């Protein structure tokens, strides 16, 4: 506490600052310097959280060394329960039950990429490459209007290694299966 300060308070302050910066990013009122500051804040938050985790690990070891393990029975019951729930002892394959499942990837041969391919994965995005996979109609009609936004999106991702929160947002719409639906069972996600 004397050396590093109150970790919980520091974590809360970092989280509030990051939230404020993320909201500014979402509303489009943030410069590249602000995005760099946000990325730095996230790194600092991660460091403080890892330091706090390390402190708790040290405290737990100290307590175990001083007092011994008082939860042996509880620990073994929980560990056995997790093992029973998560263990795959057999599975059904082509209408036959296979027992004694053993997962081993030692004999698998994975393809590796060349040095040139690895270097191409981290080079900055360039506008002439264009978006792959879009149909002709999109490229003809929408790309001229969206080109600058798309290029800026990929450039910021490459520079700051972060995506805006909205990129992973989705909307679920419940569509009625029948007229005048009032029960959740009568609605279908679309």
């Amino acid at each position: 506490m004397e050396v590093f300060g109150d970790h919980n308070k520091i974590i809360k302050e970092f989280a509030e600052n990051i939230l404020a910066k993320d909201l500014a990013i979402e509303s489009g009122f943030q410069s590249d310097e602000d995005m760099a500051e946000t990325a730095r804040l996230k790194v600092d938050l991660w460091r403080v959280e890892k330091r706090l985790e390390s402190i708790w690990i040290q405290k737990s070891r100290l307590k175990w060394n001083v007092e011994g393990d008082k939860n042996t029975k509880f620990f073994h019951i929980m560990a056995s329960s997790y093992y029973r729930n998560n263990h795959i002892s057999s599975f059904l394959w082509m209408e036959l039950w296979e027992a004694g499942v053993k997962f081993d990837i030692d004999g698998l041969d994975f393809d590796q990429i060349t040095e040139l391919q690895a270097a191409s994965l981290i080079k900055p995005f360039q506008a002439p490459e264009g978006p792959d996979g879009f149909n002709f109609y999109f490229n003809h009609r929408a790309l001229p209007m969206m080109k600058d936004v798309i290029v800026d999106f990929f450039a910021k991702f490459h520079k700051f290694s972060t995506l805006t929160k909205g990129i992973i947002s989705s909307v679920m719409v419940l569509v009625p299966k029948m007229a005048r639906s009032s029960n959740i069972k009568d609605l279908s996600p679309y």
Side-chain angles (χ1 to χ4, degrees), residues 5-70:
D6 184 357
H7 283 84
N8 293 322
K9 182 179 177 185
I10 294 170
I11 288 171
K12 183 179 178 185
E13 289 172 0
F14 275 132
E16 289 171 354
N17 289 340
I18 290 169
L19 178 63
K21 299 262 185 203
D22 283 344
L23 290 174
I25 290 173
E26 293 293 325
S27 61
F29 297 118
Q30 198 170 39
S31 65
D32 286 352
E33 294 83 23
D34 291 335
M35 290 187 75
E37 173 69 14
T38 303
R40 187 193 61 77
L41 282 171
K42 288 180 180 179
V43 169
D44 290 344
L45 174 63
W46 180 82
R47 285 187 181 136
V48 172
E49 287 175 338
K50 292 307 267 181
R51 192 179 313 133
L52 182 62
E53 180 182 335
S54 175
I55 289 170
W56 280 110
I57 288 171
Q58 291 172 11
K59 285 182 179 181
S60 70
R61 288 182 182 153
L62 177 65
K63 183 176 180 181
W64 186 87
N65 283 337
V66 172
E67 299 177 10
D69 187 359
K70 294 183 179 177

Side-chain angles (χ1 to χ4, degrees), residues 111-129:
D111 292 336
Q112 295 183 352
I113 61 174
T114 65
E115 292 291 326
L116 183 63
Q117 290 170 325
S120 72
L121 290 175
I122 59 171
K123 72 177 186 176
F125 176 78
Q126 297 176 355
E129 293 178 33

